[in-house]
Amino acid sequence: MRTRVLPISEASIDEACKVLLAGDLVAFPTETVYGLGGLGLNPDSVSKIFATKDRPTTDPLILHVSSDDLAALADDEIIAKPIPALAVALVSQFWPGPLTLTLPKGPRVPFGVTAGLPTVAIRYPAHPAAQLLLQKVGQPIAAPSANRFGRISPTDASAVLQELEGKIPLILDGGSCTQGIESTVLSLSGSNPTILRSGAITAEMISSITERQTLRDARNLQQSVPSPSPGMLQSHYAPQTPLYLAPTAIEHFDPPYQYILYEIRNSKLPPGAYLLAPDQNPSTAAQNLYRLLRQADSIGSPAILIDPIPDSNWAPAIRDRLQRASSGTALWQNGGWKLLPRAGA
Ligand code: AMP
Ligand code: MG
C-alpha cells in the first residue's frame, strides 16, 4: 500500500473523511501526539487499528469526539446515563484539550474499543484539524498514538511515516504537535476519580475541580491484577536503543553514547548531545521529548543517557514516560559511565 502524506486543507480533510467512512485508517495530528484513526463504532475499523499497530487487543483505545456535550453523547449511547456531575465540570474546564475521561460505556461502543471493559475512554481534542475531521466524519474516531505498539509516539508526520509507511493509505500532515505527550487519562467510573496516566492536565489542575472527592493516582495504588488501565504497562514508549536516566546533570560526554540534556550548561553543545528545553521552558521539553528520543535512537549508539527532569507542571508526565522507556540508571563512576539495569526493564 502506498502511504500518501497530505498537508492540512479542506480538500485533504475531505479525503481523510472518505477514507475513514470506507472503513480504512488515517493518521492525523492532535495537540498531544499523532493519532491512528478509524471509525470508533465500527468493529472492523477498530480491528484494523489493532492489527496495524500490532497492539494487543487487551489495550483499550480512546474515542475522540467532536464536542463537550456529554448529554448528547449519552443520548447517542456512547456513554451511559446518568452522567456524573464531576464529568460535566471537568469537560467544561478542560475540553477541548488533553484530558481523557473513562466513563461507563454506552451500548453503541463495541467491546473491541474498550478491550472488553465496561468503561469507554473519551476525549475532545483541541487541534483544529482533528476537530474538523471529527465534525465531517460525524461519529467518534478511535485513535491510539500512530506508532507500532511499544514504540515512541509520533509528534510529526515524518515520525508517523517512519512507523507506518505502507500500512495505512493516508497521513494528514499538520506539523509538530504543540504538546508532545499523550493525554492525561482520568477514570471516573470508580468510587474516587483516579489518574491512570499523567499528562498536561495535572493532578493539581484536576483537584481544583474535584473539590471534596479525593483524587487518586493509580501509580500509588497497589498494582491490581488485572490492571485498571492496560496503558499502565511498566515498560512502554521505548526507543530501540536502551535509555538510561542520569540522577544528576550529565557532565561527561564520552562517545559513543548519545546524551539528552535538559538545558545548556556551557555555551557549546557537545557532539552527540541534544537539548530538550533550549528556552528552559518545561512545555518545550515535553514538545521535544519524543522527537529527540527518535533522533538519538536513529544513530545506532549503544545507549542514550538523559538528564534528570526538574520540577514543574510537566515533570510528572515526562518522568512517567522516561521511567517506562528506560532500561536503567546511568552513573558516572571512576572515570566512566556505569549503566545499571532497572528491575523489571
Ligand atoms: P494510546 O491511545 O496509545 O494513547 O493509549 C490509550 C490509553 O488510554 C490506553 O492504553 C489506556 O491506558 C487508556 N484507556 C483507554 N480506554 C480505557 C478504559 N476504558 N479504561 C482505562 N483506561 C483506558
Ligand atoms: Mg500509545
Side-chain angles (χ1 to χ4, degrees), residues 105-119:
K105 79 178 211 52
R108 276 179 76 206
V109 176
F111 276 108
V113 168
T114 70
L117 295 170
T119 54

Side-chain angles (χ1 to χ4, degrees), residues 4 12-21 23-29 34-39 49 133 137 141-144 146 160 164 168-173:
R4 285 181 303 158
S12 67
I13 290 178
D14 281 342
E15 181 59 27
C17 189
K18 244 195 268 170
V19 173
L20 286 169
L21 292 174
D24 257 315
L25 308 184
V26 172
F28 63 97
Y34 273 68
L36 175 62
L39 295 181
I49 294 176
L133 182 63
V137 169
I141 296 178
V160 179
L164 300 175
I168 56 173
L170 180 60
I171 299 170
L172 289 180
D173 183 353

Side-chain angles (χ1 to χ4, degrees), residues 53 55 144-145 147 153 182 197 236-237:
K53 282 190 62 134
R55 180 174 172 120
S145 49
N147 52 279
S153 297
E182 303 84 351
R197 176 171 77 185
H236 203 18
Y237 312 105

Side-chain angles (χ1 to χ4, degrees), residues 313-325:
N313 276 347
W314 276 102
I318 298 177
R319 288 175 188 158
D320 169 70
R321 303 311 188 275
L322 289 177
Q323 275 296 333
R324 288 171 211 268

